[in-house]
Amino acid sequence: MKRKARYLIMELLLCLTLVSCASAPEKNPETAQVVVGFSQLGAESSWRIANTESMETAAKEAGFGLMMENANQKQEKQIDAIRSFIAYQVDVIVFSPIVENGWDNVLNEAKKAGIPVILMDRMISTSDESLYASYVGADFYAEGRRAGEYLIRKADALGAEHMNIAEISGTIDSTPMRERQRGFMDVIAGDPRFTVIDSICGDFLRSKGEECAVQLLQKYGRGGIDVIYSHNDSMTLGALDILEQRGIAPGKDILLITVDGEKEAVDALKTGKINCVVQCTPKLGPAAMALVKSLTTGGTVSKITHPEEGVFCDFDDLTDPATEGF
Ligand code: AHR
């Protein structure tokens, strides 16, 4: 009976999916019993696009059907997607929450329906940890700390007496925004050489990174900023374009510290236009699908899994073949 209802709902959802142009799950008769509902938050950056590809490839390799919905940066759309996955009775829900707050109601609905939830990439803020089975994603606080540790090393090497830092942050209230900021600030706090003169939001978008750089230069002038700490490569590359257009040498006149490690940013590091790239891997698909496998075969899963990540910077031998972007 449950199976019959499930197929009727599936037919309906497939029709809706076609209308909304979202990707429908590929049915594999041998593995049709495992269907993953995946709510991706958007396509705001190269990182996100690589992350979506990683999820799609890993699901295919595992033989799972992937029902993916892209929320185009809207929390309401993610909530709607999760509700549609519950109606469809998927086996596991995976989602990358755009912000941390506001998920308890819909996740309680998933819990009541007996569908386990994996948080992929970003965390939620909740007092009820039973609302998700597992989190797989970066340790964003450690990333922020690595950015701060690089800056201290660079200031020492330059013999800098004082540096004005402007921060271009990611989406307000998202985990990477909160934690990359907290980690960075914790490391530089108490060092009198550093003043954070501003923090403006660039929403992880390249276009907004450009806008932020324009605003910062208008407000502080070219001599008023020594360092830009930007929460992702897309925004950094946008800011870098603006600096160059204004005849300011990125990486020299203004130091650039960024997070992610996409190819274009690592190449800019190699040419001296970016000083430090803190790595954040988008390739979370295999780990996410391993969790799905455990959850659907009665295995146990860790509550938190962080991938291994490091830093590429201008103190390194950048001819090392390991220095590569995604
Ligand atoms: O949540 C991961 C962050 O989101 C990446 O750093 C950024 O590029 C993406 O948009």
Side-chain angles (χ1 to χ4, degrees), residues 38-281:
F38 171 39
S39 165
Q40 180 57 288
L41 67 86
E44 73 284 5
S45 60
S46 301
W47 189 99
R48 186 67 49 199
I49 289 159
N51 176 249
T52 301
E53 280 169 12
S54 171
M55 290 291 288
E56 286 172 340
T57 307
K60 207 169 181 184
E61 282 173 6
F64 300 150
L66 189 70
M67 201 175 178
M68 191 188 95
E69 293 283 348
N70 186 323
N72 294 317
Q73 316 292 312
K74 301 245 181 322
Q75 183 173 29
E76 317 83 77
K77 284 188 111 190
Q78 285 204 281
I79 291 172
D80 286 349
I82 293 169
R83 291 212 164 105
S84 75
F85 300 149
I86 296 169
Y88 176 64
Q89 299 176 8
V90 297
D91 297 286
V92 179
I93 291 171
V94 181
F95 86 111
S96 177
I98 182 151
V99 290
E100 290 194 343
N101 297 313
W103 302 102
D104 280 26
N105 287 346
V106 74
L107 294 187
N108 260 309
E109 291 167 30
K111 187 177 169 184
K112 276 190 198 123
I115 301 174
V117 171
I118 296 170
L119 305 177
M120 189 276 302
D121 166 37
R122 298 187 183 177
M123 251 296 179
I124 59 167
S125 174
T126 181
S127 54
D128 183 358
E129 288 198 351
S130 74
L131 293 180
Y132 62 93
S134 188
Y135 164 73
V136 57
D139 182 341
F140 296 116
Y141 178 74
E143 290 176 352
R145 289 194 66 92
R146 287 183 197 120
E149 282 154 9
Y150 165 81
L151 182 58
I152 289 177
R153 190 173 168 202
K154 186 73 178 176
D156 290 346
L158 293 172
E161 285 177 10
H162 187 261
M163 288 180 146
N164 282 337
I165 303 160
E167 180 184 55
I168 302 181
S169 86
T171 305
I172 302 294
D173 291 337
S174 67
T175 319
M177 178 267 149
R178 286 181 171 169
E179 295 295 279
R180 285 175 185 164
Q181 181 174 79
R182 194 169 68 89
F184 182 78
M185 300 302 173
D186 279 359
V187 169
I188 63 164
D191 189 325
R193 291 176 297 177
F194 304 120
T195 305
V196 179
I197 52 170
D198 215 333
S199 176
I200 52 176
C201 175
D203 245 339
F204 291 120
L205 292 163
R206 187 167 181 147
S207 57
K208 286 211 186 165
E210 289 179 14
E211 286 169 24
C212 289
V214 169
Q215 277 176 41
L216 289 168
L217 289 171
Q218 257 165 13
K219 204 163 162 190
Y220 301 101
R222 57 175 56 206
I225 305 167
D226 303 299
V227 181
I228 292 179
Y229 168 46
S230 153
H231 288 185
N232 87 341
D233 289 346
S234 294
M235 298 186 298
T236 308
L237 292 165
L240 187 157
D241 288 342
I242 296 297
L243 298 186
E244 287 196 311
Q245 282 166 27
R246 308 276 168 107
I248 301 166
K252 293 186 182 66
D253 297 336
I254 295 180
L255 305 183
L256 292 182
I257 303 175
T258 186
V259 189
D260 273 357
E262 70 175 79
K263 188 173 180 321
E264 195 178 341
V266 174
D267 289 348
L269 170 70
K270 289 178 182 171
T271 56
K273 294 181 178 183
I274 285 179
N275 304 86
C276 174
V277 178
V278 176
Q279 276 184 300
C280 178
T281 181

